[in-house]
């Protein structure tokens, strides 16, 4: 009879868009970004600009060449770019964010089918990739470095929490990352349980099996734990879709982080822990599917 | 007492509905001509030119008797029975009061009364048939979430429930209200305080919650509960039918446009155009009227008319119509999962359907989807999820049907 009928439910316009969601994520990153510039200087800004512009450019060019719809307007490449810069030390040479962004967008994101289809978190994979390629150019020191050799850092726990420490430019201020996380929770962009369970699991394991009781708070506030818990483990695409599944993901990532920090070769296990859990997201969804209201299906694995 | 229900969303439309719930019910005088719409499956009992009296049976449709709300002349009987009202109030002789007390009635008498009065529930099912075949229910649940009748006639609802409980032989009744009609809920509990058999419970006002299975689940905690769920407005109609003998010829309809919202008690057969005019709501170009809720309702035209199941009409503002965006990409945000009241994984079902993995889609409960549309509404990726799943289910039913046909042809 008319256009509306043909379309079926729903009739009312939906206010939700990917762009609005990603804009919220960018907003949530602003406090930590400002802190990075204040603490590390204009070089931090340059790193962010390089990775964001490379990410956006790569996505646009790839989609153009592949004759796909150009989706840079959804701002997801901006988020990826910013997160890449957040994971780099200020000493990183200019080509590092560029390489990381190209790898993240072309290999990790677009080659897997673009937004929504990638298995691994592009930003994390990009950062890990350049860390492996350019290890000597990427000096890293944080409280974790001191703790690794059995010393307490020179600054207080308070400084560690606020961000008066060293580390990758976006990871140092646990406090401002938490502010961003709270914003995302209030805007219902992320599920509050994920960062809480992630950090909570690491904290609980550190308390239960402490290396040295004096280290615990330093360990929590240093490295990329908060960055990972707030912005990486909450990435929609690479984490489970059910509430239960997300909790499993967060606890798993927290436990792996703890294990890798204690026994792993690298100083900080957060990135590897999340990437490892990324691989399990599909499986977790399959296992943690809710039982449907009517027929109770969902428990059996879909073939 | 409050029950929790899974999924659903709160959205702007509910604000307007909330206004409607607080508002009084206005009676609308019957229009000069009433159109009683008939389904395919019908038996017309009058001829063009006949004079009919208020409350007289004019047709039987889907096993439910249809009566004329007013006296007048029949001017059309093909797809619909059209009555030109003559303004007199001569009532049919079949309309008789019940003089007996409820306790003295038999179950059969009650069922017969409801059949004669053509009482239908809000999903169109015949109350008489349902009572007859009711089996194993231990609780009567009156759904008062989407229903504004509570505000206008709480006593009728409670009394109607008592009649139904008596006929069903159940000793327990629950009225479930949305938590946005606390005043009405309070009135209802005051009335119920005396009876002890009926209690009032609330659920968070969200869309969609009126579904019978899900309500039974919320109240009993059992998935396959076969409790007797009926809408509050139907309870009131049961009471009216029982006491006055007047058939079901009126509906309370809430009409909404943007922030304007009114409740109108209109004669069945009133055209939507007249109803909206009465409410003072303007209709734009054709096809922007939705019956039954903006998410899962269906589009109607101004010429259609109020039927026994009409509950609400909404006129869409042209800038607020759901549009398919170009995007259509799932970012796995999981919003559809937490919104789905059927506890499905809509995003997975859609991706299985799109990949042609029919079996996987079915084993994920694709056929359990009731097309409520909240998943599409919350999806930031602009995936028309509900359309895809309901389309798949329809296809599947058709194929299953033709397969069964083939089997039969072979043998
Ligand atoms: S339309 Fe179907 S899949 Fe979507 S929310 Fe409603 S019941 Fe769930
Ligand atoms: S709401 Fe849309 S984007 Fe989010 S998981 Fe569901 S289908 Fe995917």
């Amino acid at each position: 009879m008319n256009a509306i009928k043909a379309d079926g439910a729903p009739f009312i316009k939906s206010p939700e868009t990917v762009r609005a969601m990603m804009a919220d994520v960018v907003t949530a990153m602003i406090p930590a970004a400002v802190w990075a510039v204040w603490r590390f200087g204009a070089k931090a800004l340059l790193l962010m600009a390089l990775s964001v512009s490379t990410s956006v450019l790569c996505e646009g060019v790839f989609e153009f060449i592949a004759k796909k719809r150009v989706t840079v307007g959804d701002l997801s490449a901006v988020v990826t770019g910013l997160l890449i810069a957040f994971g780099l030390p200020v000493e990183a040479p200019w080509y590092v964010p560029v390489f990381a962004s190209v790898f993240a967008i072309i290999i990790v994101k677009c080659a897997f089918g673009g937004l929504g289809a990638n298995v691994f978190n592009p930003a994390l994979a990009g950062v890990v990739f350049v860390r492996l390629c350019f290890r000597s150019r990427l000096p890293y020191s944080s409280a974790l470095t001191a703790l690794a050799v059995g010393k307490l850092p020179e600054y207080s726990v308070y400084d560690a929490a606020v961000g008066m420490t060293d580390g990758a430019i976006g990871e140092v201020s646990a406090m401002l990352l938490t502010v961003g996380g709270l914003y995302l929770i209030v805007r219902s962009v992320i599920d509050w349980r994920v960062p809480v369970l992630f950090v909570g699991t690491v904290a609980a394991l550190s308390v239960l099996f402490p290396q040295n009781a004096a280290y615990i708070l330093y360990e929590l506030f240093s490295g990329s734990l908060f960055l990972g818990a707030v912005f990486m483990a909450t990435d929609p695409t690479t984490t489970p879709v059910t509430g239960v599944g997300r909790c499993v993901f967060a606890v798993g990532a927290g436990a792996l982080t703890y294990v890798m920090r204690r026994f792993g070769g690298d100083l900080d296990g957060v990135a590897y822990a999340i990437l490892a859990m990324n691989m399990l997201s599909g499986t977790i969804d399959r296992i943690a599917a809710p039982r449907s209201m009517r027929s109770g299906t969902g428990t059996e694995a879909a073939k | 007492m409050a029950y929790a229900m899974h999924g659903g969303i709160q959205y702007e439309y509910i604000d307007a509905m909330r206004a409607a719930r607080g508002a009084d019910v206005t009676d609308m005088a019957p229009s000069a001509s009433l159109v009683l719409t008939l389904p395919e499956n019908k038996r017309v009992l009058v001829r063009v030119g006949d004079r009919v009296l208020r409350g007289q049976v004019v047709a039987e449709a889907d096993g439910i008797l249809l009566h004329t709300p007013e006296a007048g002349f029949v001017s059309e009987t093909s797809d619909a029975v059209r009555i030109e009202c003559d303004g007199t109030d001569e009532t049919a002789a079949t309309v008789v009061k019940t003089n007996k007390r409820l306790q003295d009635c038999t179950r059969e008498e009650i069922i017969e009364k409801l059949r004669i009065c053509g009482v239908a529930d809000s999903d169109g099912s015949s109350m008489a048939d349902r009572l007859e075949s009711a089996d194993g229910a231990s609780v009567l649940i009156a759904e008062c979430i989407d229903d504004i009748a509570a505000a206008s006639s709480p006593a009728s609802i409670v009394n109607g429930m008592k009649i139904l409980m008596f006929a069903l032989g159940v000793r327990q009744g629950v009225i479930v209200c949305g938590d946005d009609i606390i005043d009405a809920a309070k009135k209802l509990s005051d009335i119920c305080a005396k009876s002890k058999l009926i209690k009032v419970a609330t659920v968070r006002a969200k869309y969609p919650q009126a579904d019978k299975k899900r309500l039974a689940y919320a109240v009993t905690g059992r998935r396959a509960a076969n409790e007797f769920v009926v809408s509050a407005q139907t309870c009131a109609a049961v009471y009216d039918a029982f006491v006055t003998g007047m058939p079901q010829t009126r509906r309370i309809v809430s009409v909404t446009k943007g922030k304007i919202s009114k409740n109108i008690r209109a004669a069945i057969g009133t055209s939507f155009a007249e109803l909206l005019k009465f409410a003072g709501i303007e209709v734009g170009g054709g096809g922007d009227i939705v019956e039954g809720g903006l998410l899962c309702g269906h589009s109607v035209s101004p010429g259609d008319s109020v039927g026994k199941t009409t509950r609400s009409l909404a006129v869409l503002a042209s800038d607020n119509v759901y549009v398919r965006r170009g995007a259509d990409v799932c970012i796995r945000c999981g919003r559809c999962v937490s919104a789905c009241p059927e506890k499905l994984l809509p995003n997975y079902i859609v991706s299985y359907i799109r990949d042609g993995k029919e079996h996987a889609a079915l084993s994920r409960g694709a056929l359990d989807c009731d097309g409520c549309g909240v998943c599409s509404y919350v999806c930031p990726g602009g995936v028309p999820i509900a359309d895809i799943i309901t389309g798949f289910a329809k296809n599947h039913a058709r194929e299953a049907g033709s397969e069964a046909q083939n089997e039969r042809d072979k043998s």
Side-chain angles (χ1 to χ4, degrees):
Chain A
M1 181 170 60
N2 55 56
I4 295 173
K5 188 164 193 164
D7 271 317
F11 293 95
I12 195 165
K13 184 160 88 183
S14 162
E16 312 294 340
T17 61
V18 176
R19 186 189 167 90
M21 225 174 139
M22 294 299 164
D24 272 339
V25 179
V26 173
T27 310
M29 288 163 81
I30 289 175
V34 171
W35 182 264
V37 176
W38 182 80
R39 173 134 184 86
F40 299 105
K43 176 73 186 301
L45 193 61
L46 177 72
L47 291 178
M48 290 188 243
L50 279 171
S51 56
V52 169
S53 49
T54 314
S55 294
V56 173
L57 198 70
C58 283
E59 182 163 298
V61 169
F62 181 94
E63 286 169 340
F64 183 77
I65 293 176
K67 299 208 167 50
K68 291 188 177 169
R69 223 163 52 83
V70 176
T71 56
V72 292
D74 67 24
L75 300 183
S76 64
V78 174
V79 170
T80 302
L82 265 180
L83 285 174
I84 287 172
F86 272 25
L88 298 174
V90 71
E91 295 85 356
W94 66 269
Y95 50 83
V96 167
V98 174
F99 266 106
S101 302
V102 172
F103 181 79
I105 297 291
I106 305 286
I107 309 286
V108 185
K109 188 178 176 187
C110 292
F112 274 86
L115 184 66
N118 48 299
V119 174
F120 295 103
N121 184 315
L124 269 183
V127 169
V128 167
F129 172 72
V130 290
R131 259 197 235 155
L132 296 177
C133 294
F134 307 102
R135 186 175 286 272
S136 60
R137 303 297 178 101
L138 297 173
Y140 181 81
S141 88
S142 70
L144 296 176
T145 330
L147 298 178
V149 293
K151 279 194 307 199
L152 277 182
E154 294 120 44
Y155 38 79
S156 66
V157 169
Y158 172 79
D159 284 345
V162 172
M164 297 300 292
T165 58
D166 298 324
I169 62 169
E171 74 181 27
V172 288
S173 178
M175 189 184 74
L176 292 175
L177 290 166
T178 307
V179 170
L182 287 175
Y183 174 78
L184 292 178
I185 290 166
V186 170
R187 303 279 296 166
S188 34
V189 173
I190 66 172
D191 187 336
W192 65 271
R193 292 173 294 188
V194 173
V196 168
L197 283 175
F198 194 153
V199 175
T201 303
V202 176
L205 287 173
S206 315
V207 170
L208 287 175
F209 313 104
Q211 194 171 12
N212 180 332
Y215 292 3
I216 295 175
L217 287 176
Y218 282 111
E219 283 172 346
L220 285 186
F221 295 132
S222 312
S224 51
L225 180 57
F226 274 71
L227 180 63
V230 173
F231 289 104
M232 308 289 193
T234 57
D235 170 44
T237 300
T238 57
T239 60
V241 293
T242 61
V244 178
R246 286 175 177 167
C247 294
V248 172
F249 183 97
V251 171
L256 281 178
T257 300
Y258 175 81
V259 169
M260 290 190 198
R261 279 185 169 184
R262 273 302 288 281
F263 310 109
D266 220 318
L267 266 182
D268 196 355
V270 174
Y272 300 104
I274 296 174
L275 288 172
M277 291 307 290
N278 283 166
M279 288 193 288
L280 295 179
S281 289
T283 313
I284 294 175
D285 274 345
R286 217 159 295 143
I287 296 167
R291 244 151 65 66
S292 83
M293 202 60 118
R294 256 153 243 262
S295 59
T297 50
T299 39
E300 74 208 77
K303 273 143 233 152
Chain B
M1 165 104 222
Y3 293 116
M5 290 184 82
H6 180 86
I9 49 163
Q10 293 179 290
Y11 67 119
E12 312 90 275
Y13 179 53
I14 287 183
D15 287 343
M17 288 296 286
R18 187 173 294 154
R21 282 163 183 172
D24 295 332
V25 175
T26 320
D27 277 293
M28 175 180 173
S31 2
S33 94
L34 296 169
V35 182
L36 308 176
T37 321
L38 300 171
E40 291 283 302
N41 182 9
K42 66 191 168 199
R43 199 155 54 88
V44 180
L45 303 168
V46 288
R47 274 182 309 226
V48 173
D50 281 1
R51 169 148 161 80
V52 289
L53 304 179
R54 173 188 288 169
Q56 181 179 333
V57 180
V58 293
E60 190 202 309
D62 288 338
I64 301 174
L65 295 180
L66 200 59
H67 309 74
T68 168
E70 291 300 317
F73 289 92
V74 178
S75 67
E76 191 192 319
T77 56
S78 51
D79 292 338
V81 174
R82 178 187 285 271
I83 315 274
E84 308 301 336
C85 305
D86 58 11
T88 64
D89 59 355
E90 284 172 77
T91 305
T94 44
V95 177
V96 280
K97 288 197 174 79
T98 305
N99 293 320
K100 278 200 257 179
R101 294 189 325 177
L102 181 57
Q103 291 90 314
D104 303 331
C105 293
T106 61
R107 173 187 148 92
E108 285 67 35
E109 278 173 308
I110 296 172
I111 293 177
E112 193 49 33
K113 191 84 192 170
L114 297 182
R115 192 181 306 287
I116 292 172
C117 291
V119 180
D121 197 5
S122 54
D123 59 359
S125 58
S126 152
M127 284 307 290
D129 289 350
R130 277 182 61 196
L131 282 181
E132 223 158 34
S133 60
D135 181 29
S138 56
V139 192
L140 172 73
I141 302 169
E143 171 263 309
C144 197
I145 302 168
D146 276 0
D147 213 331
I148 25 72
S152 66
S153 43
S156 305
I157 293 177
V158 175
N159 287 328
M161 282 183 78
K162 284 184 188 158
I163 296 169
L164 291 175
M165 283 161 69
F166 183 80
L168 285 166
V170 306
R171 306 272 303 146
Q172 207 193 344
V174 183
I175 307 176
V176 186
C177 296
D179 64 1
D180 56 347
I181 50 166
I182 291 301
D183 290 347
K186 226 186 137 295
K187 266 191 239 159
L188 284 166
S189 7
D190 288 348
I191 296 170
C192 297
K194 279 167 249 146
S195 89
K196 297 219 168 61
L197 297 180
I198 302 176
K199 57 182 182 167
V200 179
T202 55
V203 293
R204 226 172 106 214
K206 285 186 298 186
Y207 170 86
Q209 295 196 311
D211 178 82
K212 292 182 170 159
K213 273 262 166 45
R214 296 199 289 262
L215 212 52
Y217 177 64
V219 172
T220 64
R222 280 181 288 125
R223 250 165 242 269
N226 59 342
E227 303 307 344
F228 203 90
V229 186
V230 64
S231 91
Q233 195 173 152
T234 309
C235 291
V238 165
Y239 175 69
D240 289 345
F242 182 76
V243 175
T244 64
M246 191 62 199
Q248 191 180 26
T249 53
R250 295 279 188 282
R251 280 295 284 181
I252 304 174
V253 183
S254 55
V255 282
T256 322
K257 179 179 187 181
K259 298 265 177 254
I260 314 172
S261 202
K262 296 220 169 74
N263 301 323
I264 298 168
R265 185 184 285 107
I268 286 172
T270 308
S271 80
F272 291 154
E274 299 217 23
L275 188 69
L276 291 166
K277 202 166 124 208
F278 179 77
I281 290 177
E282 260 180 59
V283 187
D288 52 2
I289 310 173
V290 177
E291 177 185 343
L294 284 178
L295 281 169
C296 74
H298 53 277
S299 167
V300 292
S301 82
D304 296 345
S305 56
V306 176
K308 290 196 181 195
T309 58
T310 312
R311 252 184 185 194
S312 62
L313 276 191
V315 177
L316 291 178
S318 58
D319 60 349
N320 203 18
V321 181
Y322 181 83
V323 273
R324 287 268 180 89
R325 288 193 296 262
D328 192 354
V329 58
C330 171
I331 61 165
R332 290 176 47 85
C333 68
R335 289 184 186 179
C336 54
V337 175
S338 44
C340 177
E342 291 289 343
K343 296 197 183 181
L344 301 174
L345 299 179
N347 64 319
Y348 276 97
I349 296 179
V350 165
S351 79
Y352 292 140
I353 292 173
R354 289 191 156 166
D355 292 351
K357 294 182 187 160
E358 190 170 338
H359 180 79
L362 291 174
S363 76
R364 280 291 181 184
L367 302 184
D368 291 353
C369 166
D370 77 348
C372 71
V374 291
C375 48
S376 307
Y377 180 78
V378 296
C379 177
V383 182
I385 310 169
D387 264 13
I388 296 171
I389 301 180
T390 48
F392 168 81
K394 262 186 225 137
N395 257 339
H396 181 80
R398 202 175 316 128
E399 273 163 29
S402 63
E403 249 164 55
Q405 189 65 42
N406 287 345
E407 288 291 305
R408 249 176 279 135
D409 291 349
K410 261 183 243 159
S411 61

